[in-house]
Amino acid sequence: MIGSRAVLFQAECPFDLENQQRFWAMADAAAAWHGVREAVPAMTSLTLLLDSVPDDLDRLAGRLTELWQTGLRKTVEGRLLEIDIRYGGKAGPHLADVAEMTGFSIDEVIRLQSAPEYTVYAVGSHAGYCYLGGLDPRLETPRRKVPLTRLPGGSLSLAGLQAGVSASAGPSGWNTIGRADVRFFDPFRTPASLLKPGDRIRFRPVEVAA
Amino acid sequence: MIRVMSLPPLATVQDLGRHGHWFEGLGSAGAMDPVSHRIANMLLGNQACAATLEIPLTPAQFRFDTRQAFAIAGAVCGANLAGRSLPRIFAGLAKAGDTLELGPIRLGARLYLALPGGIDVPLVLGSRSTQLREAFGGYEGRVLAPGDLLNPITRSDPALPPSGISLDQPEFKLPAGGIIHLRALPSTEHDSFDAASLKAFWTEPYLVTRLNDRQGHRLDGAALTRSSTGELRSHGIVPGIVQVPGGGLPIIQLADSATMGGYPKIAAIIEPDLWRMGQARPGDRVRFHKVGLAEAAKAADDHQAAFAKAGQALADAFEQQEIWA
C-alpha cells in the first residue's frame, strides 16, 4: 500500500521495453475493474487508485499477479519527438559529475546519451514529465544524495537506467546534464500532456558548455 | 467582494483537489487541511468542494468593499472583524468598509477563508485548486498578493444570525501540546529497514522542521537505515507517503506531492489523518502508529461520521441562535 486507497504492484523483471509493455497492458485491463479510479503504469510497476480502502488486499494482489502472468503486452505506435538539447554549463550542472562517475569524457557522455531513440515508459512525477527507457547502460549513475530544491523546467536528467526532461521547475535528485525548450504540459490543450507511454524521443545536441 | 490589503505571498485558492489527471502526471493539489476547508464551507451552506482561500502565514488584512458573508476555520490566529474579535471557527456578515484582520498564528498552521458558493475562480481540468508547480488553476495560477479581489460565486448572502455563528469542533481538534498522532500503513519497503530503524520509526517522536510547504514535510529524529540497498525504479506515490532518502530522515509527501518518486517508502499515513499534517508547524512532533487495512477502513468511516456530526452540531447551533434571537 502507498496510501489508504492506493496500491503499488511491482514484479521481479528486467527493466526493458517488453516488460514495460506488459505494465501498459495491465493498466488498460485494471482501469476497467470495479472500484478502480485510475490505473497508471510507472517504471515496471503499476499503481491503482481505488474508490475505497480495499477489504481484501490478498485477493487484489492475486488478481494483479494473475494479470501479470498472462504476459499480455500492449504495443504502441507512438509519435517521435526530436528535442534540441544544450549540454553542460548552467543548463547541465552535473555533466562533469556524470563523466567522472562513468569514466567517459564529456563528449563521449553526450555522444552516448544522444545516440539512442528513447521510449516514454511512463508519464508522472510532475505534470507532463516522461520517464524514458533506452539509456545506454554505460551511463548508469546513482541519484544524488542531496536533491536540488529547484531545477528549471526543460532539464535533461539521468538516474539509474532512467532519463527524462523536466516539464516545470521543481526539486530533483537526479543528475542534470542539459536543457531543452519544450512545453510538455498545457492544461488548456487536449490532451494536456504532450506525450504518452509508447511515444519516442530523440535528443539533438545543439550546444555544449564546459 | 473582498480585497487583499496585506498578505504574505503563500496563500492560494484551493478546493478538494484536481482528480482524474494522475495518468498525465498531474498531482491533485487541494486543501492541505481538508477538514477546516470543509468546515468553513459548511458554515455558509456551500458544497464541500467549493473553493476557499488557504492562508498558511499571517498577519494578514482584508477589506470588504461590499456587504459580504464569509467564514473562517482552521488555525488559531486571533482574528477580528472591524475590531471585534472572532472565534476560531466563525461565519458572519461584514459591512461594506469592514476590515478582517488575522493575527499571528498561535496554534495550527493554516486558515481557510470561505465565501458564499465558493471563491469565484475558473474551473480548470475539473477543479479550482491552484497547481503551484504548473502555475495554473486557482487565482491566475499563483499565490494571492495585496490588491487582489476575491468574489463569491453566490452573490446573495446565506441566512446567518446577525452576530454570526461559531462552532466548537471536538471531533477535529487541533493538535495541542505539539504532538501529532498519525496512523499509517506499512508501505512497500517497510520490511527492508533494519529492526532498530523500524522500532525507532514506530515508537519515537519525529520533529517537524522548517523545511515544509504544500509539497511535504521533512522530519528530524532517529535516522533510518535499510538492510538492503540499491536504487529503486520510479514508482507511484500519493499524498501521505513517508519516504526515506539516503540521509535516513523521513519526508512526508502532502497535497502537492509528485505522482511518482524513487525513494524507499516506509509507511503510508491514512487519509483521515492527513489534515493534521496540514496544521503541523515547525517544532511540533509527530508519532507514527502502525495500523492495518481494517483500521484504515474504519478510520475512513469514522471520519465521515465526524463530518455528519459536525453538520448536525451546526444545525443545532442555528436553531439555538434562532431561539435566542
Side-chain angles (χ1 to χ4, degrees):
Chain A
M1 301 298 293
I2 54 168
S4 312
R5 297 182 295 156
V7 176
L8 174 62
F9 175 82
Q10 302 177 107
E12 287 288 329
C13 70
F15 178 65
D16 58 29
L17 185 58
E18 283 199 9
N19 281 296
Q20 191 61 25
Q21 288 170 335
R22 289 170 73 177
F23 283 99
W24 295 343
M26 280 183 82
D28 285 356
W33 289 356
H34 180 72
V36 173
R37 271 195 299 136
E38 281 197 68
V40 179
M43 298 296 242
T44 62
S45 67
L46 174 70
T47 306
L48 302 185
L49 301 186
L50 309 172
D51 288 330
S52 55
V53 180
D55 46 16
D56 191 345
L57 189 60
D58 290 342
R59 189 171 156 269
L60 184 59
R63 281 182 83 189
L64 286 165
T65 305
E66 214 170 278
L67 190 57
W68 166 252
Q69 283 167 348
T70 61
L72 193 69
R73 293 193 287 136
K74 178 189 181 186
T75 51
V76 179
E77 194 54 55
R79 62 181 286 203
L80 174 68
L81 184 71
E82 298 209 330
I83 299 179
D84 291 345
I85 297 288
R86 288 173 289 127
Y87 286 89
K90 275 191 182 150
H94 309 135
L95 180 61
D97 294 350
V98 170
E100 199 184 316
M101 284 187 279
T102 56
F104 290 108
S105 70
I106 282 177
D107 285 349
E108 283 170 325
V109 168
I110 293 170
R111 188 180 56 78
L112 290 172
Q113 197 278 328
S114 59
E117 191 176 280
Y118 292 82
T119 302
V120 176
Y121 274 24
V123 178
S125 177
H126 56 274
Y129 181 73
C130 301
Y131 286 95
L132 304 175
L135 182 70
D136 190 311
R138 288 173 289 179
L139 292 182
E140 182 171 356
T141 51
R143 286 190 181 83
R144 303 189 73 79
K145 280 235 154 57
V146 181
L148 291 183
T149 49
R150 192 171 168 89
L151 189 70
S155 296
L156 166 62
S157 308
L158 316 174
L161 287 174
Q162 308 178 145
V165 184
S166 62
S168 52
S172 167
W174 290 23
N175 298 296
T176 299
I177 62 168
R179 198 176 300 162
D181 185 17
V182 181
R183 195 163 170 80
F184 287 100
F185 185 88
D186 179 351
F188 302 104
R189 187 172 61 196
T190 307
S193 179
L194 180 64
L195 298 176
K196 58 182 187 311
D199 287 339
R200 292 161 297 140
I201 290 183
R202 190 174 275 284
F203 295 109
R204 279 192 306 228
V206 291
E207 192 185 303
V208 180
Chain B
M1 186 163 64
I2 183 165
R3 182 185 298 271
V4 178
M5 303 304 287
S6 69
L7 183 65
L10 286 171
T12 52
V13 173
Q14 299 291 343
D15 57 16
L16 290 177
R18 188 169 275 111
H19 302 282
H21 294 274
W22 214 67
F23 73 100
E24 294 183 301
L26 184 65
S28 62
M32 286 280 280
D33 170 4
V35 166
S36 298
H37 161 92
R38 289 176 68 167
I39 300 278
N41 275 327
M42 195 184 274
L43 287 166
L44 294 175
N46 292 349
Q47 290 187 320
C49 62
T52 63
L53 183 63
E54 176 179 282
I55 305 165
L57 193 61
T58 54
Q61 212 180 62
F62 301 88
R63 201 179 67 211
F64 294 91
D65 287 2
T66 53
R67 187 184 125 101
Q68 178 68 59
F70 73 99
I72 53 168
V76 178
C77 71
N80 78 73
L81 178 68
R84 177 193 155 208
S85 117
L86 304 178
R88 177 172 83 88
I89 298 173
F90 172 84
L93 270 175
K95 297 191 298 294
D98 277 0
T99 297
L100 172 67
E101 280 181 329
L102 307 176
I105 292 177
R106 298 195 305 264
L107 183 63
R110 285 176 175 82
L111 264 109
Y112 291 83
L113 171 67
L115 297 177
I119 292 172
D120 191 8
V121 293
L123 201 59
V124 184
L125 297 178
S127 163
R128 292 186 168 84
S129 283
T130 311
Q131 303 276 167
L132 280 177
R133 174 161 186 161
E134 285 79 14
F136 75 90
Y139 195 96
E140 299 172 0
R142 62 168 172 85
V143 297
L144 274 279
D148 288 342
L149 292 172
L150 297 175
N151 282 300
I153 282 186
T154 307
R155 295 304 168 104
S156 59
D157 293 325
L160 287 168
S163 58
I165 193 155
S166 67
L167 195 56
D168 214 20
Q169 281 304 324
E171 312 297 321
F172 302 106
K173 249 184 147 152
L174 286 177
I179 288 266
I180 299 167
H181 295 279
L182 301 169
R183 291 166 290 181
L185 299 157
S187 192
T188 323
E189 283 73 47
H190 177 271
D191 294 348
S192 75
F193 285 87
D194 60 43
S197 294
L198 288 177
K199 183 162 185 262
F201 180 77
W202 293 114
T203 59
E204 290 179 22
Y206 277 85
L207 186 71
V208 174
T209 70
R210 292 194 176 279
L211 295 171
N212 75 83
D213 56 18
R214 285 186 42 86
Q215 200 191 341
H217 279 270
R218 279 173 189 269
L219 304 180
D220 200 0
L224 307 171
T225 50
R226 288 171 74 205
S227 29
S228 58
T229 52
E231 300 276 322
L232 303 179
R233 293 172 192 164
S234 295
H235 49 261
I237 55 172
V238 295
I241 196 72
V242 186
Q243 301 171 300
V244 183
L249 293 176
I251 296 173
I252 301 176
Q253 295 281 345
L254 292 169
D256 283 355
S257 165
T259 67
M260 290 180 196
Y263 293 128
K265 305 165 293 305
I266 191 166
I269 299 165
I270 64 170
E271 283 176 58
D273 285 359
L274 281 180
W275 73 276
R276 297 180 208 279
M277 281 317 291
Q279 293 293 356
R281 49 195 286 153
D284 285 348
R285 279 158 200 282
V286 301
R287 266 291 315 274
F288 295 100
H289 301 274
K290 190 164 31 172
V291 294
L293 279 179
E295 286 156 289
K298 183 176 181 302
D301 291 344
D302 291 348
H303 197 63
Q304 280 314 312
F307 274 112
K309 210 169 159 188
Q312 189 53 51
L314 184 63
D316 292 347
F318 268 102
E319 207 166 291
Q320 285 288 328
Q321 296 265 7
E322 269 161 35
I323 292 165
W324 286 101

